[in-house]
Structure formats: structure tokens, C-alpha cells
Amino acid sequence: MDVNQVLQGTLSGDTSIRSAAEQQLSQAAEADFPGYLTTLAQELGNEQANSAVRQAAALALKNAFTARDFQRLRDVQEKWLQQLDPQIKLGVKSIALKTLASSDTRAGQASAQLIASIAAIEIPRNQWEELMPTLVKYVGEGTDYQKQASLVAIGYICDSDDEDLRRALHGHSNAILTAVVQGARKEEPNNDVRNSAITALGDSLEFVRSNFENEGERNYIMQVICEATQAQDERVQQGAYGCLNRIMGIYYDKMRFYMEKALFGLTIQGMKNEEEDVAKLAIEFWCTVCEEEIAIDDDNLQVNYPSHQFSRTGRERSRRELRQTQSSSEGSTELRDHHNFARVATQEVVPVLLELLAKQDEDASDDEYNVSRASYQCLSLYAQAVSNSILPPVVNFLEKHLRSEDWHYRDAAVSAFGAIMEGPDDKTLEPLVKQAMPILIAMMSDQSLQVKDSAAYALGRVCDVCSDAIEPTAQLEQIISALFQGLTSHPKMAASCCWALMNLADRFCGEPGCQENSLSPHFKNSIQALLQVTERQDADNQLRTAAYEVLSTFVLNAANDSLQAVASLTEIVLQRLGQTIPMQQQVVSVEDKLSLEEMQTSLTSVVMAIVQRLEDKVEPQADRIMALLLQLLGSAGGKSTVPESVFAAVSALANAIEGSFHKYMEAFVPFLFNALGNQDEPSICAMAIGLVSDCSRALGEKIQPHCDAFMNYLLNNLRSMSLGNQFKPAILQCFGDIAQAIGGHFETYLSVVGQVLQQAANINAPQEQASMEMIEYVISLREGIMDAWGGIVQAMKLGGKPAALSPYIEPIFALLHSIAAENNRSDVLMRSSMGVIGDISEAFPGGEYGSFFRPDWVTHFTRDVRANKEFSDRTRDTARWAREQVRQQLGRYQFLHDLYGKLQRLKDIMDASSSDQEHD
């Protein structure tokens, strides 16, 4: 193998050449892994080689020790640890470190990636102890090339997602900090080095907590970063503000002194920077401040009112915040310090944000993140953080600019109004909204397209957050008319107008199943207008898709007096959907295919909404609906997005007509089997698993003829290495649904499923080391296990075969005991756990297994769930029922225990009497 040529091939733009080269590398690695590593390392260290080839060599080496799949990653790491001669490993590491000094910066930085991949294997195992001291030495004494590449290596190491490595890095905090701070100082003359250092410092902040606890070290770190915000090099400025963002997120409680002395002024100065990337990061600093203070408010509310559950609409805290909150306050009864940074700075920061809102670029794409959009995001968070305090500066801005001659300021004003909808209390906000509504509606006719779009979005925010301020009789027709006018005026407004219309429909739909609602007078005209929008010749895919989405929302929220209009809509939608099927023969390009699939998906989604709203009243149209859906499945090509929406519609139809769906199963199950076995397309496989559950619940025992095939597919998917762990809970839940459907006939599968559930129950998340992802996975897995056991226990009870459960009672209670002892509880898990406790009691009313209900933890578990107001009423009601079942079991157990004692004493008396007679 000509390694140089093969490595060049991996960089080729020609897919066939690149694939062939990658295949050759893979074969070489399989044939002689030590030789493969040695050859690539020599090519990486060859100063005469082409720069791109050296990069490719480093990348190939890195890929030999990394993998996205967890099991594959452990396999390749084990290969490095156990199957290689120490001298081979030493040679690879030595060349990698030597290459950091190369004048070929691309090779040096590629080598930094390789070093990070090896560090992820060895540092957690206390190997390669000389790595960090070596990198520190290179940063202090090396050439500029060596300094920069070494700092890049530290950054890559600190930026790793490997949990074992991240834990181990805490022990190297001094070395990491020494290197990155040294390179980030203002005395460093090389801006490339300084930029790499400030980037690495940002990546390392999580691991230097012990250093941040030391006031002297913390002061020096903050001084270096603050000085970096004033650097001439914009990259260094960006890196410095990025560091401040992360520091505020991690070390909020240490920031009061620095905010007072420097950060207020520095960040406001940064927000005004002409360089947009610097300004955005300075704005994001205040986003972080607001997010932290919102989180502290939530945590302190939980401390003060532990039996209540608080949430903020539209905002989810990131995993980083969740991890931080867990480590600092979970289970704590202490209030977190709240320094009110945002509130104190409101009069300085908010006016700057409002001015920056006016820096729009009318040519910007929808997904472009610029200063104006960053300011909008920050203003929205600011409103949530400071509540009513946001209103004075914003109201002043509105009064000054809502009627400005400059469209930039009109747009900024209306955008600011929409941004602050969430935060101020309703009593204060509602009068302002009522006063502003006529102006907002009028701005939907503004000369500027940008202003009209922002007005539509602001109306959507009002409908979403403050709909009580809208007077349905006087204003609803005006709002709907203005939004439809905007929807038809320009495709760019489609998203905002449709979002506003959907929020409006959701907020004014009334109670489920009501005879009429606020939408009723406008329903027919709205449906007609939406249908006209989708038929427009100039309508692009974005507008058409958005209109169909609004149509679905209006259908789902229709009152009973509009059901006839919904039924009439069915004919139109089915006709349109049927017309798309022959069009598949006319597709000549990828664009045509995508456009047609998008239309079919949209129409199928409307069909699903109609089915869900009409429920069993859709049955007269069911044959035609199912025939079209089967045609769509039969004509869909590979990698099509249409089957997912079709499966969703089939699910809705099965739930709507229940047992009547049985007549479609023979034609439908081949498609369902194909999807269950399609592990190459996980999304369609996931839909199929859910659809098996839906069909089982809808058909009951009629599903039995298909259960052997279903169970085989489900068990194969459960064992599959190509499907992710997220599939397992749904599959386990599906077992429970099948069991409930076929009752005692499930005994055929019980031994296999029981073993699977017991194995799944052994998967735990170590409390001190588990990631949030692992904790969430274990919770969802246990939800699936408990749902499965709930269905199985009920099936065996109703099928008259409770004795078949005997081998599983003990492991079920062992899992329940484990769940009861843990702090990580979800509403669904608690409800299903309570259900299993009650179901087992009802399955054995004679108290045969009463001893399992006797331990104190069972009583405490049911009592705690019943009393916890954080759980839903449904869950607490289930716990109340389970508690009653536990009481009954304890009563029966005591009765049987007493009866056994009496019988034993009677036997002893009879034995003694018999012995006396024999003696006489």
C-alpha cells in the first residue's frame, strides 16, 4: 500500500475515490494494527510530506481510537490498552508530541486532535502522566508554533465529551491553568498563541473549580480575561467574552466583586463594539446572567415551597444548568445567593439592547444570528429575570419609536413589545397590551415587510402569553383578517402569520368538546382562506406547508358546531391527496421529489387532524382514508419522509375506530413489518413500534394472529446494536400493550419477556458519576419496564392465569424497592409503579404474596407518592388506590399468619394428646 497515495485519496472530492481509500485504510488496520499505527505516525512526523497528507494521517490515527457508538468506542480503546506493544504506543505518542513543534501549523493542530484522543484513553487510567507537564513546558519554552499547537491540544482535551476524562481532568487543573493563563496574558506578543490560549481557557473553566475557590488565583484569572477583552485582535476579544459567559454560568456566586469593579462596564462596552461577533458575545453574557438568575429564582421557590412545582412557559433549562443545579442545590434546604445583577443593570443594559434591535439587516436569512436577533433573545430573557422592571425603559422606547419614520426603529419597537410578553405580571401587562393591540393590528399594513413580519410575530406572542387581553368579540375578527392578509401578502411572512394563527386557535378553542367557542364564527371563512392560500399559483413550499399546518390546528380546535365543516373538509383534502399519487410518475428531479413529498406529508397531517377531531364519526370515510394511506405507502420510495406521516395518520384512525380497524390489518401489516425491520431508518422503525402499541390497544384480542411476528421483530430490535437505547423503553412498553390486548394468551411469550425485563431492571445510573443523559435513560427504561409489567399482570389476572406470574413477583418488588429508594422520579414512573403494586394485589386477592407488601418501604412509597403535590392528580389517585390495596394485603397477610399460628398450636396439642395416649 502506497500510504501517501491512500491518504491523499481520503481527501478526494470524488466519493468513489474517497470510499476506496478509506476501505484500504480499514483493511490495513485489520491486517496489521501495530504496523498501521506506526506507518501513519511516521507519515505524520515527516516534515517533507505534504501538509494535507500529514493532516490525513493524524485524522486516520485519531479515528483509530474514537467512535460515536459507545460500545465501539470501548472496543477501540481496549485495543489500544491491551493489544499493543508499549513501545508502539510510546512511538506514536512521541511523534504526536514532536509534531506540535512543526512549522506546518495544520499538521501541528491535527496532531493536537490525535493527542486528545489518546489522552481520553490514558488520563482516566492514570497513564501518560507526563503529558500535561510536557504541554505546560511547550507553552512556556517552545516556539510560537509549538505554543499554539500545545494550547490547541489542551483545548481539545478539555472539550471532550468523555465523562471519564472530564472527571480525571480535575486532578490536572493546576497544569492546565498554568499553560492557558500564561498564553492568554497581554504580555504574549503572538496573537495566534493568545487566541489559542483564551480558547483553551474557555474549554478548561469547568475543571479549575479548586483554583477559582482561591481568591488570589481567581483574581489573576479574571484580570487576564478582562484584559483580553481590550485586545486589538478581535479573535482574542471574542474568546475573552466567551470565557466571561462560561464563568458567569459556572461561578455566578463568585462574580459580585468583579461585576461591580469591571464587568458591568466591559460588557456594555462590548455590546457597542462595531465588530458584530464581539458584540453578540457581550450580549450573550447578559443572556447568561438572566438565565442564571431565572434558575436561582426557580430553585429558591422550590426551597421555600418544596411541595409545589414551578415552571416557566417556553423556557427549558439546558443540561449544563441542570447539572449545575443538581450539584449545588438538589436536596438542599438553603437558598442560593441572588445578586440581582440584571435588575441592578436594567437602566444601563436594556436601552443598549433596544438600540441594537434597530441594527437589522433586511437581507438576512431566517436562520442568520446577528446582533439584532441576539438582542431580541436577551431582551426576552431580561423580561423573565426582572419582571415589571423591564417595562419603563421598553415603554419609553415604544412611545418614541412605534411611529418612527425609520422602519428600523418601528421594527425594533414592535419586536421589543413582543419580546417582553413573558415576565411582567399579568395585571401590569394586560392594560399595556389592550392599549397596544390597535397599533399592532394597524402595523400589519405597514409599508415595510420587516415591520409587518415583526408585528405578526408580536401578535403571536400576545396570543401565546397574554391572550386574556384580547377581546374576542371586538378584536378577534380584526386579528384573523390581518394575519390572513399578511399570510397572502408575501412568503416571508408565512412563518410568523401561521405561528400567530396557531397560537390564536389554541388559546380561543374553549374547553375540549365544547358546543361552540370564540373561533366558531370565523371557522368556515378561515378554512376557506387557508385552502385558497394553498392553491395559489405563486405559493412556494414554505407558504403551502405553513398554511396546511394552520389548517390542522384549526381542525383540532374546532368546536362541536364546526364539525360539519370539518367533515366537508375531509372530501377536499382526500381529493387533493389522491391527486398527488399519479404525480409521482412525473418526478424528474430531486427538487420535484422533495416538493411532492412535502405536499403529501402536509395533506396527510391534515387527514390525521380530521380523524383525531371527528373520532368515531370518521368511520364512514375510513375505507377511503385507509385506501389512500395504503397507496401512499405502496408508492413511497426509499428514504422517503412520507411513511412517517402516513403511520401517524394510521395510528389516529386505529384509535378513532378501534375494533373496526381490524378489516384493514391484512393489507396494512406487510408495511408495518417492513418498518419494524427497517433498522437503517430509525425514525420509521420508532413509528412502527408505537403503531404496534396503538393497534394492540385498538383491536384487543383481534391483534393475536399477528403477535408472533410482532414479538419477533420487537425482540430483534431490542437486541440490535444499530438501534439506540432510546428504542428500548418504547419496546418494553409495547410488550405491556400487547399483553393487555391478548390477555392470557400472552403466557406464550412470558418466559422470554420476563427474562428481558429482569435484565433491563439491572441497568442503573451511578448516583455520583452518571450523566444527565444516563439518568434520563434509566428513568425512561424503568417507565417501560413498569408499563410492561402492568400490562402483563393485568393480562394474566384477566386471563385466569395469575400463577404464571409466580417466578416474577420477587424481582418485580426488588425493582420497586430500588425505585422507591432513589431521588430521580418521574410522574409516569411513579404512576406505573403504583399501578403495578395495585395490580399484583388484585391478581392475588387471597394474600398469597402478602409478605412482599409487608416491608415498611412499600407503605412509605405509596404514601409519599400519594402526598406529593408535584405529581399529577392521576398519579396521586393511582397511589391512593395502591395504598388501599397494600392495606388489604396486610390485612389478609395478618389473617393468614394468625390462622397459621392457630393451626400450628392445634397441631401441637393434637400431637401432645396422641403422645400421652401412646404412653398410657
Side-chain angles (χ1 to χ4, degrees), residues 314 373 376-377 380 411 414-422 437 440 443-444 449-465 479 482-483 486 492-504:
R373 288 171 180 170
Y376 181 92
Q377 177 188 10
S380 179
D411 181 68
V414 74
S415 296
F417 185 73
I420 65 165
M421 283 296 101
E422 186 180 349
M437 281 305 296
L440 281 179
M443 293 181 85
M444 288 293 296
L449 174 62
Q450 185 87 13
V451 174
K452 289 193 292 185
D453 187 46
S454 296
Y457 194 80
L459 283 171
R461 289 279 287 170
V462 170
C463 293
D464 184 30
V465 179
I479 296 172
L483 290 171
K492 186 176 180 180
M493 293 186 63
S496 296
C497 290
C498 288
W499 182 70
L501 284 165
M502 287 189 290
N503 285 338
L504 183 145

Side-chain angles (χ1 to χ4, degrees), residues 10-26:
T10 63
L11 305 172
S12 173
D14 187 315
T15 304
S16 59
I17 295 175
R18 187 170 64 252
S19 298
E22 290 169 352
Q23 184 65 28
Q24 280 186 276
L25 286 177
S26 179

Side-chain angles (χ1 to χ4, degrees), residues 213-426:
E213 293 295 331
N214 182 295
E215 184 179 357
E217 292 186 54
R218 184 171 68 246
N219 287 342
Y220 186 56
I221 296 169
M222 293 301 297
Q223 177 186 335
V224 168
I225 295 172
C226 289
E227 288 172 350
T229 65
Q230 306 303 300
Q232 295 299 310
D233 191 301
E234 291 169 354
R235 298 173 302 166
V236 177
Q237 291 182 44
Q238 292 174 40
Y241 281 112
C243 283
L244 291 178
N245 288 350
R246 295 204 67 185
I247 288 171
M248 181 57 71
I250 301 172
Y251 304 109
Y252 172 92
D253 60 314
K254 307 289 184 188
M255 288 297 104
R256 186 169 185 172
F257 172 79
Y258 307 103
M259 289 292 282
E260 293 173 354
K261 295 297 182 182
L263 298 186
F264 277 117
L266 283 177
T267 52
I268 291 174
Q269 176 189 351
M271 291 162 66
K272 298 176 180 179
N273 196 301
E274 291 299 319
E275 175 53 43
E276 187 169 87
D277 288 336
V278 175
K280 285 189 295 187
L281 285 163
I283 294 168
E284 286 173 16
F285 173 83
W286 285 101
C287 290
T288 304
V289 170
C290 293
E291 287 171 343
E292 289 302 316
E293 296 193 337
I294 291 167
I296 292 169
D297 281 336
D298 286 351
D299 293 337
N300 288 347
L301 280 172
Q302 291 288 359
V303 172
N304 287 324
Y305 305 97
S307 63
H308 291 76
Q309 191 168 17
F310 300 92
S311 63
R312 291 176 180 266
T313 305
R315 177 178 56 81
E316 291 184 1
R317 288 154 66 183
S318 68
R319 296 194 188 280
R320 178 192 62 75
E321 290 170 323
L322 284 171
R323 282 198 298 269
Q324 183 184 335
T325 300
Q326 275 199 329
S327 64
S328 62
S329 68
E330 189 177 70
S332 173
T333 57
E334 295 183 4
L335 294 173
R336 294 179 62 191
D337 289 337
H338 193 308
H339 298 309
N340 286 300
F341 295 144
R343 194 176 300 276
V344 169
T346 300
Q347 298 304 319
E348 288 76 29
V349 174
V350 172
V352 177
L353 292 172
L354 292 168
E355 286 294 326
L356 292 174
L357 274 175
K359 290 187 174 291
Q360 312 93 324
D361 178 1
E362 58 184 328
D363 297 322
S365 62
D366 290 339
D367 58 352
E368 183 176 328
Y369 185 65
N370 53 33
V371 166
S372 178
R373 288 171 180 170
S375 299
Y376 181 92
Q377 177 188 10
C378 189
L379 193 63
S380 179
L381 288 168
Y382 226 106
Q384 296 174 50
V386 305
S387 188
N388 292 348
S389 299
I390 195 79
L391 293 175
V394 172
V395 170
N396 288 340
F397 190 79
L398 295 178
E399 292 174 346
K400 184 177 180 181
H401 296 298
L402 264 177
R403 293 181 173 86
S404 172
E405 292 294 322
D406 187 340
W407 75 264
H408 293 85
Y409 278 94
R410 291 200 309 277
D411 181 68
V414 74
S415 296
F417 185 73
I420 65 165
M421 283 296 101
E422 186 180 349
D425 64 72
D426 293 343

Side-chain angles (χ1 to χ4, degrees), residues 676 682-683 685-694 696-697 711 714-715 717-718 723-738 757 760 777 779-788:
L676 283 170
S683 59
C685 187
M687 289 288 297
I689 293 167
L691 195 46
V692 171
S693 286
D694 292 333
S696 299
R697 288 192 294 266
M711 292 299 296
L714 292 171
L715 289 167
N717 288 338
L718 201 60
L723 293 178
N725 284 337
Q726 70 270 23
F727 284 78
K728 294 180 181 178
I731 293 172
L732 300 183
Q733 182 183 12
C734 195
F735 290 152
D737 291 328
I738 292 173
L757 294 176
Y777 168 62
I779 291 174
S780 65
L781 188 67
R782 289 184 171 180
E783 290 171 357
I785 295 170
M786 283 297 145
D787 282 341

Side-chain angles (χ1 to χ4, degrees), residues 19 74 78 101 149 172 187 414 441 476 497 502 550 663 723 855:
S19 298
R74 287 292 176 253
E78 195 65 22
H172 296 271
E187 291 78 13
V414 74
I441 294 171
L476 203 56
C497 290
M502 287 189 290
V550 178
K663 61 184 175 181
L723 293 178

Side-chain angles (χ1 to χ4, degrees), residues 716-878:
N716 286 336
N717 288 338
L718 201 60
R719 291 189 289 262
S720 171
M721 297 298 292
S722 59
L723 293 178
N725 284 337
Q726 70 270 23
F727 284 78
K728 294 180 181 178
I731 293 172
L732 300 183
Q733 182 183 12
C734 195
F735 290 152
D737 291 328
I738 292 173
Q740 277 193 282
I742 64 175
H745 298 293
F746 193 81
E747 186 180 15
T748 304
Y749 314 111
L750 182 56
S751 61
V752 174
V753 173
Q755 184 179 8
V756 167
L757 294 176
Q758 289 180 73
Q759 291 171 347
N762 292 328
I763 299 175
N764 292 295
Q767 292 299 302
E768 296 181 359
Q769 300 180 350
S771 64
M772 282 302 302
E773 289 82 1
M774 185 62 182
I775 292 172
E776 289 173 357
Y777 168 62
V778 170
I779 291 174
S780 65
L781 188 67
R782 289 184 171 180
E783 290 171 357
I785 295 170
M786 283 297 145
D787 282 341
W789 279 126
I792 292 168
V793 172
Q794 290 184 46
M796 295 300 105
K797 177 186 69 175
L798 296 175
K801 300 179 179 180
L805 296 168
S806 297
Y808 309 106
I809 301 299
E810 185 174 351
I812 291 173
F813 272 89
L815 177 57
L816 286 167
H817 192 186
S818 177
I819 293 170
E822 292 182 358
N823 294 323
N824 298 310
R825 298 177 172 184
S826 72
D827 186 75
V828 172
L829 179 57
M830 293 303 101
R831 183 164 62 250
S832 56
S833 297
M834 295 299 103
V836 169
I837 291 173
D839 287 335
I840 292 176
S841 174
E842 287 195 339
F844 299 98
E848 299 94 317
Y849 294 98
S851 60
F852 288 99
F853 294 85
R854 192 181 181 195
D856 290 341
W857 69 262
V858 179
T859 299
H860 292 157
F861 188 24
T862 55
R863 185 180 61 205
D864 289 348
V865 175
R866 183 192 62 186
N868 193 329
K869 295 182 180 179
E870 288 188 11
F871 298 130
S872 66
D873 291 342
R874 182 182 169 194
T875 296
R876 295 172 66 203
D877 288 343
T878 306

